[in-house]
Amino acid sequence: MSQAKKRRVFSGIQPTGQLHLGNYLGAIRHWVRGQGQKENFICIVDLHAITVFQEPEALRHNTRSLAAMLLAAGIDPDQTTLFVQSHVRAHAEGSWFLSCITPLGRLERMTQYKDKSARQERVDTGLLTYPVLQAADILLYDADEVPVGEDQKQHLELSRDIAQRFNHLYGDTFVVPEPKIAKVGARIMGFDDPTAKMSKSLAGKGHSVLMTDQDKVIEKTLKRAVTDSGNEIVYSEDPEKAGVNNLLTIYQLMTDKTPEQVLADFADARGYGDLKKGVAEAVIEGVRPIRERYNELMADPAELDGLLARGAEQARAVAEPKLIQVKEKMGFGVPAEVRP
Ligand code: ATP
Ligand code: LTN
């Protein structure tokens, strides 16, 4: 009997800085846990990173460091294709074809574009066309599912529309991908301001816990976390309680407990001091083994490079034939001599 085809999952992450707890809980942990059941691709999107200026040395370091962190967090290269976007040319090339069927107005209305461009003095074109490159990432792999945080919903909607438009114009070619948005942990908030999502680009003192932070640093950040003037330890949608809600959510995810068990753990807490201490312990226990494995991987560049080369080769085997299909459908000749 033939086996049912595994659903394909494509995830992307930018090498723009050090990973924080929000990235881990909102994205990476789901990728690690989903391995095996589905066919997984994880792409380190360095081409997306340069939509905002990156120091070349920093980009090089961040790309390798992110790969090491993903492996340390449990991504298994035997089960997941982990690769760097710029190692597979089809992404940049594919995004050109897709940009020619993407309405400009859609790109101008993207919230991420509006936010990021407002924060910059100079806005370059790549920042605007960023979601088209993202669509190419996803569509070239015929991904069925794309696990993302809330913030990426709008980009996924565009990827779906681009796939449908292409299929309509040139005949069935792309799978229309579905976003998979995790409910708990989709939005981990900053410790310094629980009304703003934890973000790499907002990294400042007390904002986030980095996955490379030492135990003492984690303890200090949690101690300083902004809460409210009350003393009630409850899950709540009330913006006033956003800090406490965030701490409970993080504890719940780090310990894999139910909300009831979490509240029971803090039933005897005397104020937020105890809450913060409990959360700090849970975070430290979860982060420590990842940090240690990360340090080992960063100390062995040959192992890391080898794993990434293997990932790129596996990715090319999928993306390149798909790109040829796209070009042929659009009317380009792809003679054998110019095939990759
Ligand atoms: P930047 O500030 O540069 O946009 P970021 O911290 O938001 O960076 P991304 O590289 O954009 O991180 O996102 C990587 C993954 O982590 C995405 O799937 C994103 O949805 C998820 N993610 C990012 N921040 C959070 C957060 N605070 N809570 C939950 N998930 C998050
Ligand atoms: N825009 C995403 C990163 C990203 C991505 C992708 C995510 C680029 N290409 C493909 C999923 C699928 C972000 O900023 N989190």
Side-chain angles (χ1 to χ4, degrees):
M1 218 173 71
S2 75
Q3 276 201 321
K5 196 170 169 284
K6 278 189 184 173
R7 277 171 76 78
R8 195 172 274 172
V9 185
F10 190 99
S11 309
I13 184 161
Q14 297 198 62
T16 41
Q18 289 188 304
L19 282 191
H20 54 66
L21 200 62
N23 302 131
Y24 175 65
L25 293 176
I28 295 157
R29 219 172 63 127
H30 298 292
W31 303 346
V32 171
R33 295 187 173 192
Q35 293 182 113
Q37 302 142 23
K38 304 194 176 154
E39 191 185 355
N40 288 283
F41 287 82
I42 297 180
C43 181
I44 297 180
V45 293
D46 52 352
L47 299 175
H48 277 105
I50 59 161
T51 54
V52 173
F53 178 75
Q54 305 292 319
E55 288 294 344
E57 267 323 306
L59 181 63
R60 230 185 308 278
H61 170 79
N62 288 337
T63 301
R64 308 186 81 258
S65 152
L66 177 53
M69 191 51 89
L70 290 166
L71 293 163
I75 295 301
D76 172 2
D78 289 330
Q79 299 194 69
T80 295
T81 300
L82 172 66
F83 70 104
V84 176
Q85 190 183 30
S86 64
H87 295 178
V88 181
R89 288 188 191 167
H91 292 245
E93 195 176 345
S95 98
W96 171 255
F97 300 118
L98 301 184
S99 77
C100 293
I101 58 163
T102 305
L104 180 60
R106 282 294 294 277
L107 298 177
E108 287 168 338
R109 285 195 295 276
M110 289 287 162
T111 354
Q112 182 176 298
Y113 169 70
K114 289 198 280 188
D115 288 352
K116 286 197 178 175
S117 57
R119 278 192 251 141
Q120 273 165 233
E121 219 170 90
R122 173 195 159 110
V123 180
D124 293 303
T125 315
L127 196 63
L128 179 71
T129 54
Y130 174 117
V132 184
L133 178 60
Q134 182 164 354
D137 297 342
I138 299 166
L139 303 183
L140 281 172
Y141 293 83
D142 282 331
D144 300 293
E145 297 175 16
V146 184
V148 282
E150 271 297 326
D151 59 323
Q152 293 298 311
K153 231 166 135 176
Q154 208 183 16
H155 287 169
L156 259 291
E157 214 30 70
L158 181 74
S159 293
R160 289 170 58 85
D161 290 350
I162 293 177
Q164 277 161 344
R165 174 121 181 101
F166 192 98
N167 291 348
H168 172 74
L169 289 171
Y170 300 107
D172 232 10
T173 308
F174 291 128
V175 169
V176 181
E178 281 170 35
K180 287 277 169 218
I181 298 175
K183 287 192 185 63
V184 182
R187 235 172 118 78
I188 300 295
M189 311 310 269
F191 292 118
D192 55 344
D193 174 6
T195 62
K197 105 174 168 105
M198 191 179 285
S199 165
K200 279 183 244 153
S201 36
L202 292 179
K205 238 187 173 167
H207 171 69
S208 61
V209 161
L210 300 179
M211 297 304 290
T212 45
D213 276 350
Q214 298 292 331
D215 298 354
K216 280 265 168 303
V217 176
I218 300 178
E219 207 178 290
K220 219 160 146 189
T221 304
L222 264 299
K223 211 177 242 175
R224 284 212 237 112
V226 171
T227 45
D228 56 80
S229 53
N231 58 9
E232 250 195 316
I233 301 180
V234 287
Y235 286 94
S236 164
E237 294 291 313
D238 181 353
E240 263 289 296
K241 305 283 306 175
V244 169
N245 199 65
N246 193 38
L247 292 174
L248 290 173
T249 303
I250 291 170
Y251 182 86
Q252 180 186 328
L253 293 167
M254 294 306 286
T255 56
D256 269 322
K257 291 186 177 174
T258 63
E260 293 71 34
Q261 289 170 324
V262 170
L263 293 177
D265 282 358
F266 293 109
D268 298 329
R270 279 157 302 144
Y272 295 154
D274 284 355
L275 170 67
K276 291 176 180 180
K277 216 164 137 199
V279 179
E281 275 166 25
V283 172
I284 287 170
E285 285 309 308
V287 168
R288 189 187 294 130
I290 299 177
R291 181 183 66 225
E292 288 173 355
R293 176 73 185 125
Y294 165 85
N295 288 334
E296 283 168 19
L297 282 161
M298 287 302 276
D300 186 354
E303 184 188 356
L304 197 56
D305 290 343
L307 289 171
L308 290 176
R310 194 174 112 199
E313 198 180 318
Q314 287 166 358
R316 270 185 231 117
V318 177
E320 282 175 354
K322 190 77 197 177
L323 184 67
I324 291 175
Q325 195 188 343
V326 167
K327 290 173 79 170
E328 284 179 335
K329 291 228 179 184
M330 291 182 95
F332 296 95
V334 191
E337 310 77 73
V338 299
R339 284 181 189 230

